[in-house]
Structures are given as C-alpha cells and as structure tokens.
Amino acid sequence: MKPTFYVTTPIYYVNDVPHIGHAYTTVAADVLARYKRLMGFDVYFLTGSDEHGQKVEKAATTAGETPLELADRVVKRFQALWERLGISHNDFIRTTQERHKKGVTQIFTDILEKGDIYLGEYEDWYCTPCETFWTETQLIEGRCPDCNRPVEKLKEESYFFRMSKYQEQLLAHIDANPDFIQPKSKRNEIISFVKEGLRDLSVSRTTFSWGIPVPGNEKHIIYVWFDALTNYITALGYPDETGNYGRYWPVDVHLIGKDILRFHAVYWPTFLMAAGLPLPKKVFAHGWWTVEGQKMSKSLQNVVEPNMLIDKYGVDAVRYFLLREVPFGLDGDFSHTALVQRINSDLANDIGNLLSRSTAMAVKYFDGVLPAPAELTEMDTALKTRTVEMISSVDRLMDEMAFSKALQAIWEVISAGNKYIDDAAPWTLAKDPAQRERLETVMYCLLESQRMVHSILSAFMPTTAAKALCSLGWKEEISRDSLVWGELSAGTTITKAEALFPRIEG
Ligand code: MSP
C-alpha cells in the first residue's frame, strides 16, 4: 500500500474575489501535492470555501443577494481560477454543504456532551472584518490590533469552549513535536501566546443567523472559525471514521498564511483534543505579499488579480515566480519588474535556451535519434552526479517546504547544463568524425540531465514540463523510479523544442 499524504489550503472567504495571496497558498499546496504524487504517495489535496459568518452575510446584504447567492457566485471565481492555475485538488469543500454541516454539528455535540462547551455570557470587543473578539487590553488605541479598524462592544449569551483547560496539554504537544508549528519563529510566537494564558473561547453568536445552528439551541450560530476549521475533517467524511477520514487523518500539513496561524495552531488543536481526535502533524504559516512595496488592499486599488497575470505571462511563469521569489515562510514583495526579470533570466534564458539549444543539436547531429553514451569522462560524471544529487536535495527541501531552495537546487543543474555545453562544445566535436563517440556521450548526458530536471519540475510547472518531456521523447509516467540517471533510452526520438518562455520586452 502506498503511504498517504494529506495537504490542505485554508478555505477562502467568499466575500472577496481571489487575489495573489489566495493563489499563493493554493499553488504551494498544489506543488507539494504533485510532488508527493510523483514520489508515490497516495495524496489527498483539499481546498474549498468558507461561506458562513457575519462577514459573508454583510457582503451579501450590500450586494443585494442572499448569502448563498453570493457564495454560489463567488465560489465559481475561485474554482475557475484554480482550474486555470492547474490546481490538482482532490476535493473542494464548501461549508454550506450538508456533509460539512453534519460533521460540524457532530463535533460540537460531542464536545458539548463532554462538558467542554458550556453556556455563559460574553462581553468584549468584536472586530467584524476579522471575525475576532478582543479584550480591552489587546486593542491598540481602541482599534483592532490586527487590521486597525474600529471594533464594537458586544454582550451576548454565548457558548464557550473550555480552551483554558487545554493550555498545558497544548504546550506539551508543541514541545514534544518540534515540527508541529513552522517556521520556527512562528512556533515561538505561538508558545509565548499560549504561555500568557488561554481564555475560554466564545464559540457561538446570536447577533446574526448565517451559519450552522447550535444543536438544541437554534438561536445560537456556531462561531465561524469553529465551523471553518472543521472543514479539514468533514471533507474526509467525518464522523464516519471508516472511509477517507480513517485513511488520511491526521493531516500531514495545513498550509496557511501567517495571519491565521493562531486559529490553526491553538484553537483547532484544542478543539481536536476536546473531541479526542488526533492533531495535525504540521501547520506551516507562510508570509504575506506586499505589492510594489505597499500593503495589498482594495482601497489602494493595488490588488493583484491572478487571472490578469496568467493572461499576460502564462500560468507556469506565475507559479514559478510565486514559489521562487520569496522563501516560503517569509514576507515578500510582488512587482511586475521582478516577475519580468525572473521570466527573462530564469525561464526564457536559463531553462528555455538550454532545452532549445540541446534538442536542436540532437536533431542536427543525430537526426533526432538519441545516441547511447560511451564511457563518461570527468565532466560527464560531474553533470550526472549534480543531477542525481539534486533529486535527493529537492526531496529533503520539499519536506521542509523550502520551495524556493528546491527551485534553486534545480536551477544549479540547469546552469551546470549550460556550462557543460559551452565546455564540451558539441559544435566543435561535430566537425571531427573521430570525435563521434564523444559527441554521442555529450548529447546523451545533456538530454538525460534535462529529462530529470523537467521530470521534477513537473510538480512546479506542469505544462512546461510536459512540453519539454515531449520534445525529449519521454512517454513514460514520472515516478521515483524514473528519477534515476540512465532511464532515457538510446534510440528515443528527440524533437526540437520551441521556446518554452518567450522573452518579455520592456
Ligand atoms: N476563511 C479564512 C480561512 C479559514 S481556514 C479554516 C480566511 N480566508 S481568507 O480568504 O481571508 O484568506 C485566506 C488566506 O489568504 C490566508 O491564509 C491568508 O494568509 C492569505 N492571504 C490573504 N492576503 C494575503 C497576502 N497579501 N499575501 C499572502 N497571503 C495572503 O482567512
């Protein structure tokens, strides 16, 4: 049986249209999912939409729609974008689906019956855009410490989750599992937050109606974060523990943005503890994108629309840029100049040229029939070793979620390939019939190295890799077993590759 790998993205709010922030997590999760599939894992990749709560209800009222009409309309934009971006999710959960409501009701009931959810009264400051309650002391100059918007005082009867009870158990879990929260800096932030003391958490609202009612007391609506976080198990069929839930839970990694780490690393694990369910193996928080140095916001009208980027630069260039430009876990800045620079240098120049030059030579010198290599010289072995070692480095880096470093490791092999052509000078060898065997070896090494490069790149840039592998005559499935030197057979038909990425002028 194949080992399983379960990866999730956050479920996106439907009161907003998709932007590069959303695309970022989803592309990262997709690359990971594709990579693990390549490596022989039985992968389950989940994404979806967060459709309940006051925020969505308010947006619907403003738009003159019912919340469900709004959700139905906006969710299509997410789904269409994921299709264009080549996202290979196995499931898309909407929190308005029956399967989800059923699972949320169940877990809420379980915790209630256990006594870890109780009815009490709430009075605190609430930030509607963030759907978060704050205590007086957490406010910054009377405003929301996260988004700096005004907050309102709310007093209501509310169900509470006994989060305080799980403080020590959570700290012990974080301590015993150093990889549970990543990156490390974020882990430390969570540890300090938990050590300051966990308060019981309000997990129901009576001030609006768009959501899942509390079982047995329907004027209460389950808090949207309790509802949303549970998606990660309801999509697996929870409470039915036999099917996908039994197979894929606990999740291997929840990929999220840093702004929602507390929900994933404190609230969610303690809910699971209370319900007696296993905790996620890893929660990884990535950084935020600014745009041309500024915070991305509707009011600044600088929201970067992924569809527009795809129209202009192509899907794989966008996928590549997002993961290459900024180390996963750190903040980064998006700019068109940086994107064009990456396309021209890394894509058009380094990888595109290497493939078109080398396939053109195979056609010219060998009529497109891949020659067999003779004995490898030192320079051939160096290229081979670099290529082979890159495969294991990438494996390690992907486990660390170090996408940018993984791409750098791949690009080192591409640069080595470009240098290898210059050093081996096949055009000189071709002039001398006595060097025929040497030329055969050089061409083989060059093309085999790129076959391995494009095989592994298929996780990052599936369309480009498919084109490249097609001109390299590779028709087999890509797998761990094929990521081995020497798998491309002599006699394979090589065709001249068209430019993978046109240069962008201006
Ligand atoms: N619905 C909640 C998540 C519930 S998960 C159980 C939510 N949705 S969201 O649509 O507002 O945001 C989803 C993700 O987009 C978050 O991970 C957030 O970090 C990410 N981003 C939003 N803006 C971003 C940037 N400017 N840069 C990078 N990621 C950003 O939160």
Side-chain angles (χ1 to χ4, degrees):
M1 257 217 334
K2 289 179 172 186
T4 58
F5 189 84
Y6 179 30
V7 51
T8 67
T9 72
I11 49 172
Y12 302 105
Y13 284 129
V14 288
N15 63 328
D16 199 359
V17 295
H19 55 61
I20 53 160
H22 306 124
Y24 186 45
T25 332
T26 312
V27 166
D30 182 64
V31 168
L32 196 59
R34 285 176 183 269
Y35 180 76
K36 290 288 176 183
R37 287 192 199 107
L38 278 189
M39 289 299 161
F41 286 78
D42 166 7
V43 171
Y44 203 77
F45 168 17
L46 174 70
T47 188
S49 52
D50 192 350
E51 305 189 356
H52 289 136
Q54 196 169 10
K55 201 146 114 162
V56 174
E57 192 180 78
K58 278 196 177 164
T61 310
T62 312
E65 291 170 304
T66 65
L68 193 57
E69 280 166 351
L70 172 84
D72 283 344
R73 181 167 56 80
V74 179
V75 77
K76 287 199 190 91
R77 302 189 56 166
F78 279 94
Q79 288 169 331
L81 176 62
W82 301 156
E83 176 139 7
R84 284 198 82 191
L85 272 172
I87 304 303
S88 64
H89 50 285
N90 298 85
D91 196 358
F92 188 103
I93 187 150
R94 300 181 56 180
T95 53
T96 47
Q97 288 167 340
E98 275 315 310
R99 58 172 175 161
H100 176 72
K101 294 189 214 166
K102 188 176 140 209
V104 172
T105 309
Q106 183 67 51
I107 190 171
F108 196 95
T109 308
D110 288 349
I111 304 179
L112 191 71
E113 283 174 355
K114 193 178 168 192
D116 280 348
I117 289 180
Y118 61 91
L119 193 58
E121 199 175 61
Y122 205 93
E123 189 180 29
D124 237 329
W125 296 99
Y126 192 66
C127 173
T128 309
C130 295
E131 308 261 23
T132 309
F133 273 100
W134 302 104
T135 58
E136 189 84 37
T137 51
Q138 285 173 318
L139 299 181
I140 296 176
E141 290 173 3
R143 287 167 169 261
C144 171
D146 268 1
C147 73
N148 196 33
R149 276 178 279 214
V151 288
E152 17 175 356
K153 188 116 194 189
L154 285 189
K155 182 172 183 166
E156 55 178 84
E157 185 190 75
S158 169
Y159 283 88
F160 284 87
F161 168 61
R162 245 180 254 288
M163 196 157 72
S164 55
K165 179 177 159 187
Y166 292 96
Q167 176 171 330
E168 293 313 314
Q169 201 177 326
L170 179 62
L171 281 172
H173 183 84
I174 298 173
D175 191 50
N177 297 276
D179 290 342
F180 174 49
I181 302 167
Q182 284 189 23
K184 216 181 178 127
S185 58
K186 298 286 173 231
R187 175 177 190 262
N188 293 338
E189 281 174 24
I190 292 293
I191 295 176
S192 327
F193 173 76
V194 179
K195 280 192 174 155
E196 272 170 34
L198 292 182
R199 294 192 309 154
D200 288 356
L201 180 73
S202 164
V203 286
S204 79
R205 303 286 183 266
T206 50
T207 45
F208 64 94
S209 59
W210 180 236
I212 304 174
V214 166
N217 190 354
E218 312 243 315
K219 73 173 197 285
H220 284 263
I221 297 298
I222 295 177
Y223 174 42
V224 67
W225 273 100
F226 187 98
D227 167 342
L229 288 160
T230 309
N231 91 86
Y232 300 127
I233 57 176
T234 58
L236 298 179
Y238 178 84
D240 174 4
E241 303 209 353
T242 55
N244 280 343
Y245 178 81
R247 192 183 180 102
Y248 297 109
W249 192 259
V251 69
D252 289 272
V253 58
H254 288 314
L255 292 184
I256 55 164
K258 62 178 185 179
D259 54 317
I260 56 175
L261 179 61
R262 191 178 299 169
F263 301 100
H264 285 80
V266 180
Y267 294 10
W268 178 226
T270 53
F271 297 161
L272 289 165
M273 283 173 178
L277 302 175
L279 306 198
K281 290 184 209 160
K282 192 183 287 183
V283 176
F284 195 107
H286 64 65
W288 266 47
W289 287 91
T290 50
V291 174
E292 315 275 354
Q294 282 185 307
K295 192 175 164 153
M296 185 165 59
S297 84
K298 270 189 204 158
S299 51
L300 290 174
Q301 297 192 320
N302 65 348
V303 174
V304 180
E305 227 271 279
N307 278 302
M308 181 273 289
L309 293 182
I310 301 171
D311 291 342
K312 211 164 165 187
Y313 304 111
V315 54
D316 278 354
V318 175
R319 289 175 63 109
Y320 174 78
F321 177 80
L322 289 177
L323 294 190
R324 174 64 186 84
E325 187 69 4
V326 180
F328 206 62
L330 299 185
D331 293 337
D333 186 51
F334 175 89
S335 75
H336 286 274
T337 322
L339 175 53
V340 168
Q341 163 81 23
R342 285 269 171 220
I343 294 176
N344 285 346
S345 100
D346 304 5
L347 301 179
N349 208 30
D350 296 348
I351 192 166
N353 269 350
L354 179 60
L355 188 75
S356 49
R357 278 163 98 192
S358 32
T359 53
M361 286 191 279
V363 169
K364 188 166 172 197
Y365 305 140
F366 295 99
D367 287 330
V369 180
L370 183 71
E375 199 168 325
L376 305 195
T377 64
E378 203 173 309
M379 70 185 297
D380 310 331
T381 309
L383 182 66
K384 173 182 163 179
T385 310
R386 266 205 119 108
T387 310
V388 171
E389 285 177 356
M390 172 275 284
I391 301 288
S392 42
S393 307
V394 169
D395 206 40
R396 182 176 46 78
L397 293 165
M398 293 300 275
D399 274 339
E400 293 168 13
M401 245 49 75
F403 303 107
S404 181
K405 280 194 187 151
L407 286 167
Q408 280 177 54
I410 301 171
W411 253 255
E412 277 168 24
V413 173
I414 294 164
S415 305
N418 274 317
K419 183 161 184 308
Y420 178 83
I421 300 198
D422 296 340
D423 293 347
W427 45 89
T428 313
L429 300 174
K431 288 186 191 134
D432 180 358
Q435 296 285 353
R436 189 70 183 168
E437 202 177 82
R438 181 73 203 119
L439 181 62
E440 289 172 356
T441 308
V442 166
M443 286 314 302
Y444 184 87
C445 291
L446 200 50
L447 294 165
E448 176 59 342
S449 171
Q450 285 175 77
R451 199 251 331 153
M452 288 176 65
V453 159
H454 283 284
S455 296
I456 206 144
L457 271 181
S458 67
F460 293 85
M461 301 195 284
T463 318
T464 306
K467 276 195 229 164
L469 289 168
C470 178
S471 64
L472 292 168
W474 180 259
K475 297 201 177 71
E476 316 286 310
E477 214 189 310
I478 308 164
S479 67
R480 195 183 270 282
D481 293 341
S482 81
L483 286 167
V484 167
W485 186 271
E487 286 295 301
L488 193 62
S489 318
T492 300
T493 307
I494 310 287
T495 43
K496 185 179 169 345
E498 296 308 319
L500 293 176
F501 295 94
R503 274 190 77 80
I504 297 179
E505 305 302 337

